[in-house]
Amino acid sequence: MKTYRIGVIPGDGIGKEVIPEGKKVLEAVGKRFGLKFEFTDFPWGTEYYLSTGEMMPEDGLDTLKSFDAILFGAVGDPKVPDHITLHGLILPIRRGFDQYACERPSYLYAGVPCPLVGKKPGEIDLIVIRENTEGEYAPIGGHVYLGTPEEVAVQTAVFTRRGCERVIRYAFELARKRNKKKLVTSVTKSNAQGFGMVLWDRTFREVARSYPDIQTESLLVDAACMDFVRRPEHFDVVVASNLFGDILTDIGAIISGSMGLAPSANLNPERRFPSMFEPVHGSAPDIYGKGIANPLATILSARMMLDFLGEEEAARLIEGAVRKILAEEKIRTPDLGGKATTKEVGDAVVELISQTQ
Ligand code: GGG
């Protein structure tokens, strides 16, 4: 029996509620395909920080290195400032394991209410590739005269030719593989950010020359946000910096029905390190503890994990079960207008997976 070792970090808030559903679904699909998932849970996150002073142990990356993949929930808790929790857990993993390509698909499933008028199922079908290791998230900067009227804060965005080139190339390869509109849209704000983002734009044009079969366009981020709402059906593969990719994918999630349906894959495409799979949503302290968080973003992230591990058939089974549940419009959490609990939705996916011939 093929065994996959999965490091699991539920993290904070609803991360702790949705991750058990993701594991449950992986186990169910494993039974169907003769796959064994050995899960190792790590209690890292804000509670861990409050008792130890760090979000994860110093040797956390060494511990995770030997796993085949990482399943991550969410990070963030009102008890601790977000920049501490984010920079203490998730960002060091993304950077430390060189997970430079973050795939974030947005798809409008049948049965899911769309806030945009007149959109049909499948009409929104785009994928944002978010640069995941540098850009505006680089931990470079500082304060002087902290807390005084003279306080100064400097925050530096980092764009390297290598960093831009590899993520842009990844986007082009994906557009070829998807074989849909064969369009790659690059998003920057190079009229204002005249150094780093000009380097990005130039690199985009250079890489594009190697892909004559793929159409290209470059948009400023404000225009891209507008078009995500006005004509999302236009897009295929979108490649953007760390911050812009993050912002665009919240729009992508909400126009396709809910943050609770948006999965992501933080990939080290060369497979030198484990890749990490997580819902796009955060820890949602406003609903944590009610048992109503939508687990489908996590379940679809588990599906992306299986795809990356080469278990395409198992991945398709999860995708099919999710599609069916959404299309039936019966069992759904409140974000989609239903009354089901997190566990009930997870159970429904498991049941479908177990029954499907
Ligand atoms: N599951 C993703 C998560 O916990 N996100 C919290 C967050 O605010 N992340 C910021 C980011 O990914 O840039």
Side-chain angles (χ1 to χ4, degrees):
M1 183 180 270
K2 203 161 176 185
T3 301
Y4 290 107
R5 294 181 63 245
I6 311 295
V8 182
I9 309 171
D12 297 329
I14 62 166
K16 291 186 265 197
E17 298 175 349
V18 293
I19 285 295
E21 306 309 311
K23 289 163 73 179
K24 213 159 85 176
V25 167
L26 282 169
E27 271 164 353
V29 94
K31 276 194 198 129
R32 294 294 309 271
F33 288 92
L35 307 173
K36 183 159 180 244
F37 294 98
E38 261 177 30
F39 296 113
T40 306
D41 280 39
F42 297 98
W44 304 340
T46 303
E47 290 306 322
Y48 189 87
Y49 175 83
L50 291 171
S51 60
T52 66
E54 42 192 12
M55 290 292 288
M56 67 172 167
E58 221 173 293
D59 63 355
L61 291 188
D62 282 341
T63 306
L64 289 174
K65 206 159 37 187
S66 67
F67 286 89
D68 295 307
I70 302 162
L71 186 61
F72 190 93
V75 65
D77 186 304
K79 291 200 245 0
V80 177
D82 283 342
H83 66 274
I84 292 180
T85 53
L86 198 68
H87 283 271
L89 185 56
I90 201 166
L91 300 187
I93 300 176
R94 291 177 187 162
R95 270 198 307 270
F97 288 157
D98 209 17
Q99 295 165 347
Y100 63 86
C102 177
E103 284 194 12
R104 293 184 161 198
S106 295
Y107 184 85
L108 180 59
Y109 289 102
V112 172
C114 176
L116 306 180
V117 175
K119 299 292 175 226
K120 296 189 191 69
E123 229 172 66
I124 301 174
D125 181 6
L126 61 87
I127 183 158
V128 174
I129 304 302
R130 169 189 185 185
E131 199 295 317
N132 222 20
T133 55
E134 52 176 52
E136 308 87 339
Y137 277 52
I140 295 183
H143 301 265
V144 281
Y145 312 123
L146 202 65
T148 72
E150 289 77 33
E151 181 163 358
V152 178
V154 175
Q155 180 95 45
T156 303
V158 173
F159 289 87
T160 64
R161 180 178 284 276
R162 170 179 170 269
C164 297
E165 204 261 340
R166 63 185 186 172
V167 76
I168 290 169
R169 195 168 288 284
Y170 186 88
F172 275 95
E173 289 293 334
L174 184 65
R176 251 187 201 163
K177 197 165 118 198
R178 272 165 67 87
N179 200 18
K180 292 189 171 173
K181 294 201 173 74
K182 291 197 160 192
L183 168 67
V184 178
T185 305
S186 161
V187 178
T188 61
K189 187 72 181 172
S190 49
N191 54 351
Q193 301 276 300
F195 300 106
M197 291 200 173
V198 168
L199 169 60
W200 175 293
D201 281 358
R202 218 180 323 119
T203 308
F204 182 69
R205 288 194 297 272
E206 285 168 16
V207 173
R209 278 190 220 119
S210 318
Y211 296 88
D213 52 321
I214 307 290
Q215 299 176 68
T216 63
E217 66 179 352
S218 283
L219 294 180
L220 295 177
V221 67
D222 41 344
C225 289
M226 188 174 70
D227 277 349
F228 262 49
V229 175
R230 187 175 59 156
R231 49 167 195 159
E233 62 279 4
H234 164 75
F235 294 103
D236 178 14
V237 176
V238 178
V239 62
S241 65
N242 212 329
L243 179 64
F244 292 171
D246 188 45
I247 295 168
L248 282 169
T249 49
D250 268 29
I251 303 179
I254 217 68
I255 58 170
S256 39
S258 171
M259 288 303 295
L261 291 176
S264 80
N266 304 281
L267 302 178
N268 174 245
E270 291 74 27
R271 297 169 195 262
R272 287 175 49 227
F273 303 102
S275 291
M276 177 165 68
F277 301 82
E278 57 171 323
V280 169
H281 64 68
S283 57
D286 54 331
I287 57 164
Y288 171 50
K290 297 182 179 166
I292 55 164
N294 191 339
L296 291 178
T298 296
I299 290 169
L300 289 167
S301 303
R303 174 228 187 276
M304 293 179 85
M305 176 194 286
L306 290 176
D307 243 337
F308 192 71
L309 292 173
E311 302 295 345
E312 289 91 354
E313 223 186 317
R316 273 196 297 277
L317 188 56
I318 296 182
E319 175 76 23
V322 170
R323 276 179 192 245
K324 190 152 192 279
I325 282 163
L326 290 170
E328 281 173 358
E329 301 187 35
K330 281 192 208 137
I331 302 167
R332 49 180 59 200
T333 42
D335 55 308
L336 294 176
K339 288 202 167 80
T341 63
T342 308
K343 183 174 174 308
E344 283 166 349
V345 174
D347 287 347
V349 177
V350 166
E351 200 181 315
L352 265 180
I353 285 171
S354 315
Q355 286 168 358
T356 307
Q357 293 310 308

